[in-house]
Amino acid sequence: MTSSSPPPSISSVFADIDDPRVIARSSHLLIDVLTIAVCAILCGAEGWADMELFGKSKEDWLRTFLKLPNGIPSHDTFARIFAAIDPNQFRECFIRWTQSLMDIDEDLIAIDGKTLRGSRDKGKSAVHIVSAWASANSLVLGQYRVDEKSNEITAIPELLRILHIKGALITIDAMGCQKDIAEQIVDAGADYLLAVKGNQRKLLDVVEAARMQAWQRDQQEDGDHEPHIERESGHGRESVRYCVATSVDEYAKTLMDQGDEQALEELAEVRQAWPGLATLISVYSNQDVSRESGSGFEMRHYISSRASDDAEEMLSNVRRHWEIENKLHWVLDVQFNEDQSRIRSKNSAENMAILRHLTLNILKRNKSVKRGVKAKRKLAGWDHAYLAQLLGLK
């Protein structure tokens, strides 16, 4: 869980970032610029002009802990500096800071991508970022930019490489269901939970076959490993989810008892191809069973290296993956207006994404005010003592 120790100061977070400017020609200290930017975003700023306005309105207070030898930087200065800062260094500083605050052992880490839609420009695709979300800690662990001529399959291994994931359960949607990614996760001492779709046909067929057998067994007898059913009601709808989790070892034993050599051969081929494969999971969901035909029927399939035939636990893990959409991507769009941001020059879009992740972590980590992100940002702008607390200032 999240550490209760005071957060490191902003100056220590950014201590290793190289100044991209010619120092002799620079009017403002890099740490001053970075600190003002963080403060401004904590208080609701969305762009460079907001940062300048924030700095000028809070200059007297900022001077209590910053040097500001030539006053507050202009919005053009903020823009130039963040366009020039090496995003790799910026990201590494952010990841080290975040991982120093928490213990991720046995946490669930969801990995998913998000496009910064406003960063699209003439002849240039929008920046796409793959992020890692620590579910139990409710913190962004890190991010990695997808190369313009590539996709998430190449970015996910790079993100995993720079994160400490030992002991965690890594969840990824079907794009990341790749043998090399599964092997990388297992080699790092973690477990995977990967969504399976038609991009892995043989694997999908095996999971489907295991699901059908589990379903038939459920209809015929009371086994030791029952499926898990959840029902929810709200907003005039009733939803149901039905999950079966099958141990690969148990499934192999059943096929052997049945003498199904073809299915055994297919399972053996899949087990050899997918490192650490231990559990096959299927989830049936219907989002409105009150209607005769239902309105949201869906069948989804997953594989995991975590050995468990506890269908309730596996369904919980599947659902926790989508916290990255609800608690990260949605918050960035609604509370930080990320999709509306037109910041796009050079490295600025990626660096601004890191700033948003950093400030969101600061707000999430602080438990002294029991309010949402929006209210905390307002309070930070109104109350210097609270803003100082968020920054780790004495």
Side-chain angles (χ1 to χ4, degrees):
M1 295 299 291
T2 306
S3 170
S4 59
S5 60
S9 66
I10 294 299
S11 59
S12 66
V13 174
F14 297 134
D16 295 332
I17 296 179
D18 294 333
D19 195 329
R21 304 167 297 170
V22 178
I23 304 301
R25 299 179 185 175
S26 303
S27 301
H28 304 281
L29 301 176
L30 180 62
I31 191 59
D32 287 356
V33 175
L34 296 174
T35 302
I36 294 171
V38 171
C39 290
I41 296 176
L42 281 171
C43 297
E46 296 176 6
W48 316 131
D50 287 352
M51 292 177 185
E52 178 185 358
L53 182 60
F54 170 86
K56 289 182 176 178
S57 66
K58 299 286 188 179
E59 184 171 356
D60 290 344
W61 180 75
L62 290 169
R63 285 188 179 277
T64 63
F65 61 96
L66 297 180
K67 294 182 179 180
L68 301 177
N70 290 290
I72 301 299
S74 69
H75 62 278
D76 286 334
T77 298
F78 282 108
R80 285 195 301 270
I81 290 175
F82 279 99
I85 287 176
D86 181 353
N88 294 322
Q89 282 192 340
F90 207 21
R91 180 186 62 242
E92 289 170 5
C93 289
F94 165 71
I95 291 174
R96 283 200 304 270
W97 171 74
T98 300
Q99 295 193 156
S100 73
L101 302 178
M102 53 185 285
D103 176 10
I104 68 168
D105 288 349
E106 300 182 3
D107 197 356
L108 183 147
I109 300 175
I111 293 179
D112 195 29
K114 183 180 186 297
T115 299
L116 309 181
R117 302 190 185 282
S119 64
R120 183 179 290 107
D121 203 358
K122 294 179 181 179
K124 177 184 175 184
S125 301
V127 172
H128 191 77
I129 300 290
V130 175
S131 300
W133 172 260
S135 175
N137 292 273
S138 289
L139 293 176
V140 188
L141 271 182
Q143 69 176 59
Y144 200 91
R145 178 175 178 171
V146 177
D147 187 82
E148 190 172 352
K149 297 181 179 180
S150 186
N151 56 36
E152 291 183 16
I153 295 176
T154 60
I156 290 171
E158 293 301 320
L159 178 57
L160 290 171
R161 182 181 57 81
I162 58 181
L163 295 176
H164 170 67
I165 61 173
K166 185 177 181 179
L169 176 65
I170 311 299
T171 65
I172 314 175
D173 64 15
M175 174 69 80
C177 187
Q178 305 292 328
K179 301 179 185 70
D180 290 344
I181 291 176
E183 183 175 16
Q184 182 180 2
I185 292 171
V186 171
D187 288 347
D191 284 308
Y192 58 77
L193 175 62
L194 307 177
V196 184
K197 290 187 178 179
N199 59 328
Q200 299 290 349
R201 190 69 245 177
K202 286 186 178 180
L203 179 61
L204 180 60
D205 288 344
V206 167
V207 182
E208 272 276 20
R211 187 262 303 177
M212 289 298 296
Q213 186 185 88
W215 231 330
Q216 292 169 4
R217 187 176 64 244
D218 178 43
Q219 300 297 318
Q220 297 170 359
E221 61 184 39
D222 295 326
D224 295 331
H225 309 300
E226 296 181 354
H228 176 67
I229 302 175
E230 288 184 355
R231 296 183 182 273
E232 291 182 356
S233 298
H235 305 288
R237 298 186 305 174
E238 182 182 359
S239 302
V240 62
R241 297 179 185 85
Y242 179 105
C243 177
V244 293
T246 303
S247 161
V248 172
D249 288 337
E250 181 179 315
Y251 182 44
K253 183 177 182 301
T254 301
L255 293 177
M256 194 175 300
D257 292 342
Q258 294 174 345
D260 192 335
E261 294 184 3
Q262 181 178 347
L264 265 173
E265 184 177 336
E266 292 172 353
L267 178 60
E269 184 179 346
V270 165
R271 294 185 79 171
Q272 185 175 7
W274 291 87
L277 180 62
T279 309
L280 310 174
I281 305 127
S282 293
V283 178
Y284 159 88
S285 63
N286 192 329
Q287 295 303 311
D288 194 352
V289 295
S290 61
R291 298 185 183 183
E292 185 174 343
S293 60
S295 63
F297 171 85
E298 187 176 15
M299 181 69 72
R300 291 169 291 161
H301 304 285
Y302 305 85
I303 59 170
S304 181
S305 62
R306 182 163 290 183
S308 174
D309 49 22
D310 186 334
E312 182 177 5
E313 175 191 357
M314 286 302 180
L315 180 58
S316 174
N317 291 334
V318 166
R319 298 191 67 188
R320 285 170 66 197
H321 170 79
W322 296 111
E323 290 181 5
I324 194 171
E325 290 287 348
N326 302 327
K327 296 185 178 181
L328 176 58
H329 296 164
W330 184 88
V331 171
L332 290 173
D333 283 340
V334 175
Q335 305 295 351
F336 289 78
N337 280 338
E338 183 170 74
D339 268 356
Q340 304 303 315
S341 175
R342 303 297 291 172
I343 293 172
R344 62 183 71 165
S345 176
K346 298 181 181 178
N347 300 327
S348 56
E350 185 176 358
N351 285 331
M352 189 64 167
I354 295 171
L355 279 176
R356 294 189 196 102
H357 284 167
L358 172 66
T359 52
L360 179 60
N361 279 358
I362 291 173
L363 293 165
K364 288 277 190 181
R365 185 178 183 276
N366 183 272
K367 306 298 182 184
S368 65
V369 174
K370 307 298 182 183
R371 300 294 297 275
V373 169
K374 183 177 180 179
K376 286 183 175 182
R377 294 182 85 192
K378 285 182 177 179
L379 182 58
W382 296 336
D383 187 342
H384 288 164
Y386 181 61
L387 180 54
Q389 182 185 114
L390 292 175
L391 296 172
L393 299 174
K394 295 181 179 180

